[in-house]
Amino acid sequence: MIKKFIPLFVVCIFVHGCSPEIKDNARSLVRGNVIDAVGNPLTNIPVRAEAGRFFLGETTTDEQGNFQFTSLESTEDHYEIIINKINEDEDFEQENLDSTDNPYTKVSYYYEESEFRKTYSLTAITLKEKAKLNFRIEKTSTTNDTLYWNLSLINPECNYIFDNNDETPVDFNCYSRNDYTDRLQLSDPDYMHNFFSVLNSEAIFTYHINEQEPESITIPLNQPTTNYAFEY
């Protein structure tokens, strides 16, 4: 199992003045296990600890899906453990989420506490498989139409929030639906984007042209990559 530890002075450079501050001689143990939807261990899944954008430690899972590392502690009143964060600028829509080496969703544990726990034990963290939707709208007619559309699909993330040393989350937001809406006119009639969701889920495309009644189309996401094109 690969472990990484960044010296304190290097961390300070990246956060421009060490805010939040690191607690002297204070460390937390982070450990757990990562599996897929059917219970198989997942290897080489990145796990990292942060306080805001402040990096505190990281590791990857071993062949049994287990991970363990020592995390720095900070003066922040919150702490986050993120499983399967691809990169610093990860976003739901970004194309860099498309990784053939790591086709799984992301799970995070957010702790709103005044004091760090000495041990964070996370067992049976389940990651689902992601699905990529190559989505395209193309105007093929010559009429001066306005297309109003909405795309609804499941966000490939699960977030748990803990408070006051509770062992069960006080709130969570797991694989909720996100909606993307736009209007296309003759001056800018086409649209193309890659979206990411959860494998074996459905995207719902709703549209109406000018003042017509809305119509909905269900797009099954049963393959790692689905191509969908709509012409109007």
Side-chain angles (χ1 to χ4, degrees):
M1 180 169 57
I2 301 174
K3 295 185 178 181
K4 296 181 181 179
F5 184 83
I6 295 182
L8 180 57
F9 74 92
V10 176
V11 176
C12 293
I13 293 174
F14 284 111
V15 296
H16 306 289
C18 275
S19 179
E21 295 180 356
I22 292 295
K23 293 182 179 179
D24 292 335
N25 301 317
R27 302 292 186 269
S28 294
L29 177 65
V30 180
R31 62 191 179 193
N33 176 261
V34 181
I35 58 176
D36 64 15
V38 295
N40 297 316
L42 293 179
T43 304
N44 204 33
I45 298 295
V47 182
R48 62 184 289 136
E50 300 177 353
R53 302 293 287 181
F54 190 58
F55 169 68
L56 299 177
E58 68 176 357
T59 189
T60 56
T61 58
D62 61 19
E63 293 181 355
Q64 288 74 45
N66 298 319
F67 65 87
Q68 179 172 305
F69 65 97
T70 300
S71 168
L72 299 172
E73 293 185 13
S74 78
T75 56
E76 279 282 4
D77 59 359
H78 65 270
Y79 180 64
E80 190 171 11
I81 301 169
I82 309 171
I83 295 88
N84 207 32
K85 183 175 183 178
I86 304 300
N87 56 54
E88 287 295 329
D89 298 316
E90 180 178 284
D91 182 79
F92 178 50
E93 294 184 86
Q94 286 183 343
E95 295 185 17
N96 55 28
L97 281 175
D98 182 27
S99 171
T100 56
D101 296 328
N102 191 346
Y104 295 99
T105 57
K106 183 177 79 172
V107 174
S108 66
Y109 295 81
Y110 188 90
Y111 298 87
E112 295 179 334
E113 299 170 339
S114 57
E115 293 292 334
F116 276 63
R117 305 182 187 190
K118 290 307 176 185
T119 302
Y120 294 85
S121 295
L122 311 174
T123 58
I125 303 167
T126 302
L127 303 185
K128 298 184 178 183
E129 291 185 77
K130 286 188 302 194
K132 178 182 179 181
L133 173 62
N134 297 324
F135 181 74
R136 179 167 58 90
I137 299 175
E138 183 178 357
K139 184 170 177 56
T140 56
S141 69
T142 58
T143 56
N144 187 12
D145 294 322
T146 299
L147 176 71
Y148 303 85
W149 65 269
N150 179 85
L151 183 68
S152 175
L153 67 171
I154 294 176
N155 186 350
E157 295 185 7
C158 185
N159 305 301
Y160 299 97
I161 300 175
F162 296 81
D163 191 15
N164 296 324
N165 292 314
D166 289 335
E167 296 301 324
T168 56
V170 296
D171 196 7
F172 62 90
N173 182 14
C174 284
Y175 305 117
S176 60
R177 280 198 168 268
N178 281 8
D179 289 274
Y180 297 87
T181 301
D182 203 353
R183 179 183 65 179
L184 301 179
Q185 297 174 300
L186 190 61
S187 59
D188 188 18
D190 300 331
Y191 179 87
M192 183 172 63
H193 199 86
N194 297 331
F195 293 92
F196 292 87
S197 188
V198 176
L199 190 65
N200 296 320
S201 65
E202 294 179 339
I204 301 174
F205 174 56
T206 303
Y207 70 94
H208 68 93
I209 299 173
N210 301 327
E211 301 304 321
Q212 298 177 10
E213 289 296 317
E215 297 186 40
S216 293
I217 299 172
T218 299
I219 308 171
L221 303 178
N222 298 329
Q223 301 295 327
T225 300
T226 298
N227 298 312
Y228 180 80
F230 177 79
E231 297 178 350
Y232 69 105

